[in-house]
Amino acid sequence: MSRADADANANNRTPLLKIQNLGAGYGEMPVLREIELEIFPAEMVALVGSNGAGKTTLLRALSRMLPSTGSILLNGRELNGLTSDQVFGLGLVQVPEGRQLFDRMTVQDNLLMGGYRRADKAAVARDLDKMYDMFPRLSERRRQLAGSMSGGEQQMCAMARALMAAPVLMMVDEMSLGLAPVVVEQLMEVLAAIQRDGVTVLLVEQDVQLALSGADHGYVMETGNIVRDGPADLLINDPAVQQAYLGL
């Protein structure tokens, strides 16, 4: 569902994720300041900005790998005070920058690690088959060590591993980094497909054109602050965004 649809039904819909007055940093060094952000169910939201803007720090705060101030509500539940494992159990799942696979484990074992918390093993088996249908290359490589694959194949594996956790919100950090355009296009098609299946996606990217072209709504981050947000198709045509990030 698009943000326009969400706004039209604002009286009877609530955000899946609602961030208010969020601050975070490393030691005495603040990075994020008064972040306000909303994501509605089954939409794809792009968080864009240059390297060092604070995008990954925000994801670390949401995943509870970094302490923060303010409020983070997922399905109405406050995440501040929870551990990263508890947040993962609630369905907030991250595909990290650099993929961070278990290199010395097979592709299949990496995928099964994604579903390790799930009690319904029959559902896990069905989802494993679904991942192989979604990513045929992984089916061919299922017995191969994950670290021996190409960068694009490893990114597919990282995304499939996250989907095996049955996320309600999947956060994807710098998916396109170092990958060929044809592979990135395939991965964007996968994100669109899982969104149609009801998974909410937060796509964090330096590639502003890529992220906004596939998203419903966008947020632009600079030096730890959200400086613009709106429907993605309007942001991509915003003269300030074009000048700052698209070289136009």
Side-chain angles (χ1 to χ4, degrees):
M1 177 178 291
S2 71
R3 178 60 62 98
D5 294 331
D7 290 343
N9 294 283
N11 290 333
N12 55 20
R13 297 185 70 246
T14 57
L16 173 67
L17 180 74
K18 185 177 181 68
I19 302 170
Q20 293 180 296
N21 198 32
L22 181 70
Y26 302 92
E28 298 298 319
M29 181 184 300
V31 176
L32 306 179
R33 303 170 188 85
E34 300 180 349
I35 299 295
E36 305 276 337
L37 185 148
E38 290 184 342
I39 302 177
F40 285 85
E43 72 174 356
M44 188 186 304
V45 169
L47 176 65
V48 300
S50 60
N51 187 34
K55 304 185 303 297
T56 296
T57 299
L58 176 57
L59 293 192
R60 289 176 59 83
L62 297 181
S63 296
R64 308 315 303 146
M65 294 185 287
L66 190 67
S68 62
T69 57
S71 176
I72 307 168
L73 296 177
L74 180 69
N75 271 330
R77 179 167 181 178
E78 179 60 61
L79 301 188
N80 269 328
L82 300 184
T83 66
S84 57
D85 192 54
Q86 288 172 321
V87 168
F88 181 84
L90 293 174
L92 188 66
V93 179
Q94 183 173 346
V95 181
E97 180 181 356
R99 300 174 280 274
Q100 298 182 25
L101 298 176
F102 300 102
D103 288 348
R104 302 302 300 171
M105 292 171 61
T106 65
V107 167
Q108 180 150 308
D109 285 342
N110 267 272
L111 299 191
L112 292 174
M113 284 297 293
Y116 80 98
R117 288 184 59 105
R118 299 172 61 186
D120 188 343
K121 299 309 176 185
V124 170
R126 288 194 298 271
D127 282 351
L128 184 63
D129 289 339
K130 184 177 180 179
M131 291 305 101
Y132 288 142
D133 288 340
M134 186 178 296
F135 299 97
R137 188 68 60 86
L138 297 184
S139 180
E140 299 168 6
R141 305 276 195 272
R142 67 179 69 189
R143 302 300 178 193
Q144 186 172 328
L145 295 181
S148 67
M149 297 193 298
S150 70
E153 291 166 344
Q154 289 186 30
Q155 186 65 50
M156 294 176 192
C157 188
M159 291 171 64
R161 180 180 63 180
L163 288 168
M164 286 294 296
V168 298
L169 173 59
M170 189 168 84
M171 307 186 298
V172 186
D173 193 8
E174 302 293 359
M175 179 186 72
S176 69
L177 198 63
L179 301 184
V182 64
V183 175
V184 174
E185 182 178 349
Q186 293 171 354
L187 295 176
M188 286 298 294
E189 291 173 356
V190 168
L191 290 183
I194 67 172
Q195 182 195 6
R196 289 193 295 270
D197 284 344
V199 177
T200 307
V201 178
L202 174 58
L203 178 60
V204 177
E205 270 286 342
Q206 289 186 55
D207 188 332
V208 175
Q209 177 79 37
L210 171 74
L212 292 179
S213 65
D216 300 306
H217 197 84
Y219 289 85
V220 180
M221 178 174 276
E222 292 179 3
T223 59
N225 296 279
I226 300 293
V227 296
R228 271 180 172 75
D229 83 279
D233 57 346
L234 296 183
L235 275 182
I236 206 169
N237 290 304
D238 184 318
V241 173
Q242 291 181 338
Q243 183 177 10
Y245 300 103
L246 302 180
L248 301 177

